[in-house]
């Protein structure tokens, strides 16, 4: 049934996008420009170093030694091998979708088995500390004091997901094991490994950029065509029944599609900062389908399944806000510890001394274009060298 329904849903989505581009060309163009600006000023320069490190890491001969050291912690806690610690570290510090990228990389090189890679994909992909502490708590919510609790709740939720994933995802034999042998290839020179890492990272980041632009347009068209009206009515009724403000609903539904637009819309609610914190935390924990598409782009050429990741994100959507509330209760304080909006703090003020945001805005596009040109040169050079050998 599902296999027969999927092609029709896919076709309907394509025709919806085509109709939206024809009926609302200006809104689609504005959304595309907004997505492009987000990608080449923030996403590309912030993720490129982590992507390159993720490509180079499997070449390191320290991997096996570090894996043996942390094995006594990783195996009992998450039921994964010690080599998964590198995936956990990079995934938690760099954000989406580095955990998935490195899991697939280590699986393809035989450092991780299929079950370990599947478990790691479920809980090593989350928002980065810079995004939560800077962009969300200080920039959007204007409440930098809430940043640490949001960060702890988000990461603790992923740890809980990892513990359960280690027990619920059973060991399974790789059906392609005969086609997936562990090959001990000759170590590459540093120059060759770096060239390959840069070229591969830039190619994957360009795919991610296309997905960000696409989902930015989709979220705009969904609003234009009122596709979110029915779920919005349902959530508002549930919110009113619980005695909660309904201002978070429209932003939350946008965040299910694309995380940044949704979080920004939720943060506009100045009446109840606690509800805004919970809603934004739920959005970044789920990730939005734009992030999900990026994860699929990382794992689609491997036997790693998307379904466990989807179920993990849905669970994380509920677990992180619950942990956030438990932290407040444990601190024996009411929600009044959060400052009022009379003391607004902008993200530019937070980063004024460090210059982080200014650096991204000024040099991000230059780094983006320069990296793409370098990657094109490397790819053409490798193609020419291979053709010359033939």
């Amino acid at each position: 049934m599902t296999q027969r329904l999927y092609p029709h849903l896919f076709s309907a989505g394509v025709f919806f996008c085509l109709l939206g581009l024809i009926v609302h060309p200006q809104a689609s163009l504005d959304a595309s420009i907004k997505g492009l600006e987000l990608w080449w000023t923030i996403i590309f320069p912030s993720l490129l170093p982590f992507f390159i490190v993720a490509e180079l890491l499997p070449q390191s001969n320290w991997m096996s030694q570090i894996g043996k050291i942390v094995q006594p912690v990783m195996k009992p806690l998450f039921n994964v091998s010690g080599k998964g610690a590198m995936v956990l570290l990079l995934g938690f510090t760099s954000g989406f979708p580095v955990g998935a990228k490195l899991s697939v990389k280590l699986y393809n090189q035989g450092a991780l088995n299929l079950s370990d890679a599947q478990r790691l994909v479920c809980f090593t992909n989350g928002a980065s500390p810079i995004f939560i502490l800077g962009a969300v708590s200080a920039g959007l919510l204007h409440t930098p004091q809430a940043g640490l609790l949001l960060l702890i709740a988000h990461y603790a939720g992923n740890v809980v997901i990892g513990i359960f994933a280690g027990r619920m995802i059973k060991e399974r034999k790789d059906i392609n094991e005969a086609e997936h042998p562990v090959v001990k290839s000759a170590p590459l020179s540093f120059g060759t490994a770096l060239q390959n890492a840069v070229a591969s990272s830039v190619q994957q980041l360009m795919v991610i950029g296309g997905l960000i632009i696409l989902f930015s347009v989709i979220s705009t068209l969904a609003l234009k065509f009122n596709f979110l009206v029915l779920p919005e009515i349902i959530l508002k009724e549930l919110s009113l029944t619980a005695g909660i403000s309904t201002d978070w609903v429209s932003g939350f539904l946008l965040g299910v599609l694309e995380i940044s637009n949704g979080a920004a819309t939720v943060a506009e609610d100045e009446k109840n900062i606690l509800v805004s914190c919970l809603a934004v935390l739920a959005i970044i924990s789920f990730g939005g389908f734009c992030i999900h598409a990026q994860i699929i782009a990382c794992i689609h050429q491997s036997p790693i399944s998307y379904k466990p990741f989807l179920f993990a994100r849905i669970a994380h959507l509920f677990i992180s806000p619950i942990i956030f509330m438990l932290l407040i209760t444990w601190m024996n304080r009411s929600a009044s510890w959060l400052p009022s909006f009379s003391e607004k703090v902008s993200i530019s003020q937070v980063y004024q001394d460090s210059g982080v945001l200014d650096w991204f805005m000024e040099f991000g596009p230059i780094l983006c274009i320069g990296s793409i040109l370098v990657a094109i040169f490397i790819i053409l050079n490798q193609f020419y060298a291979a053709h010359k050998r033939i």
Side-chain angles (χ1 to χ4, degrees):
M1 179 66 179
T2 305
Q3 293 180 347
R4 286 184 293 179
L5 184 62
Y6 173 76
H8 296 290
L9 292 175
F10 176 78
S11 300
V14 172
F15 276 97
F16 158 70
C17 291
L18 178 61
L19 179 63
L21 292 172
I22 296 173
V23 177
H24 300 288
Q26 187 60 48
S28 301
L29 177 61
D30 292 341
S32 297
I33 294 173
K34 186 177 180 180
L36 177 62
E37 184 179 4
L38 172 66
W39 174 69
W40 82 335
T41 58
I42 302 295
I43 303 298
F44 190 99
S46 62
L47 283 184
L48 180 61
F50 289 100
F51 269 47
I52 294 175
V53 170
E55 287 286 334
L56 292 174
L57 195 58
Q59 304 290 336
S60 171
N61 56 8
W62 288 9
M63 277 288 296
S64 58
Q65 299 300 323
I66 295 175
K68 292 177 182 178
I69 295 174
V70 298
Q71 179 85 3
V73 177
M74 295 295 292
K75 194 64 177 178
L77 191 60
F78 302 118
N79 195 22
V80 299
S81 70
K83 294 178 181 178
M86 286 298 180
V87 182
L88 182 66
L89 176 62
L90 275 180
F92 273 27
T93 55
S94 57
F96 307 105
V98 175
K101 176 181 172 61
L102 185 54
S103 297
V104 173
K105 184 74 175 180
L106 293 178
Y107 167 74
N108 288 335
Q109 296 198 353
L112 294 173
N113 61 39
L114 180 57
S115 300
D116 283 357
Q118 184 72 76
R119 293 169 187 137
L120 286 167
V121 168
C122 289
F123 72 95
T124 59
N125 292 282
S128 68
I130 292 177
F131 180 73
I132 295 177
L133 296 176
V136 173
S137 63
L140 297 179
L141 295 171
H142 309 288
T143 313
Q145 295 90 331
L148 184 59
L149 283 186
L150 290 171
L151 185 69
I152 294 174
H154 182 68
Y155 280 6
N158 262 334
V159 171
V160 172
I161 294 293
I163 294 172
F164 278 94
R167 277 74 188 166
M168 297 179 68
I169 298 178
K170 304 300 181 183
E171 296 288 342
R172 61 190 181 113
K173 185 179 178 63
D174 188 354
I175 58 175
N176 296 321
E177 188 171 347
E179 302 174 5
H180 183 70
V182 179
V183 179
K184 295 292 184 180
S185 56
L188 300 174
S189 66
F190 175 75
T192 303
L194 184 60
Q195 287 184 8
N196 293 341
V198 171
S200 175
S201 300
V202 170
Q203 289 179 63
Q204 197 149 24
L205 280 169
M206 291 183 70
V207 173
I208 290 174
L211 290 172
I212 291 173
I213 295 171
L214 174 63
F215 276 87
S216 181
V217 173
I218 289 175
S219 61
T220 299
L221 295 179
L223 289 177
K224 292 291 184 180
F225 285 110
N226 295 320
F227 279 180
L228 303 177
V229 170
L230 180 58
E232 185 174 354
I233 292 174
I234 296 173
L235 287 178
K236 282 185 176 180
E237 287 297 325
L238 293 174
S239 186
L240 289 174
T241 303
I244 303 174
S245 169
T246 61
D247 295 336
W248 62 276
V249 173
S250 59
F252 175 79
L253 291 174
L254 275 179
V256 171
L257 293 175
E258 202 278 317
I259 186 173
S260 57
N261 289 330
T265 304
V266 169
E268 293 174 359
D269 177 20
E270 302 183 4
K271 299 176 183 177
N272 195 329
I273 184 63
L274 178 60
V275 173
S276 296
C277 285
L278 293 173
V280 169
L281 185 58
I283 288 172
I284 63 178
S285 296
F286 179 73
F289 284 113
C290 178
I291 298 295
H292 288 227
Q294 296 175 30
I295 300 298
I296 293 173
C298 291
I299 67 175
H300 78 285
Q301 291 184 335
S302 72
I304 298 173
S305 175
Y306 163 69
K307 286 184 180 179
F309 172 80
L310 174 62
F311 294 146
R313 293 306 94 204
I314 294 174
H316 200 197
L317 183 151
F318 295 100
I319 292 173
S320 290
I322 292 173
I323 294 176
F324 185 80
M325 291 301 299
L326 290 175
L327 286 173
I328 294 178
T329 304
W330 177 73
M331 293 170 64
N332 197 24
R333 298 179 183 179
S334 66
S336 61
W337 68 273
L338 294 167
S340 65
F341 273 92
S342 61
E343 302 176 359
K344 288 189 175 181
V345 181
S346 67
I347 189 169
S348 58
Q349 289 173 323
V350 173
Y351 285 143
Q352 186 173 9
D353 295 332
S354 62
V356 173
L357 188 63
D358 291 338
W359 188 93
F360 275 129
M361 297 300 293
E362 183 175 357
F363 296 105
I366 298 175
L367 177 61
C368 177
I369 296 173
S371 300
I372 292 173
L373 292 176
V374 170
I376 292 174
F377 172 77
I378 292 172
I379 293 171
L380 290 177
N381 185 53
Q382 291 176 344
F383 177 78
Y384 173 76
H387 183 72
K388 189 176 181 180
R389 286 196 299 268
I390 295 174

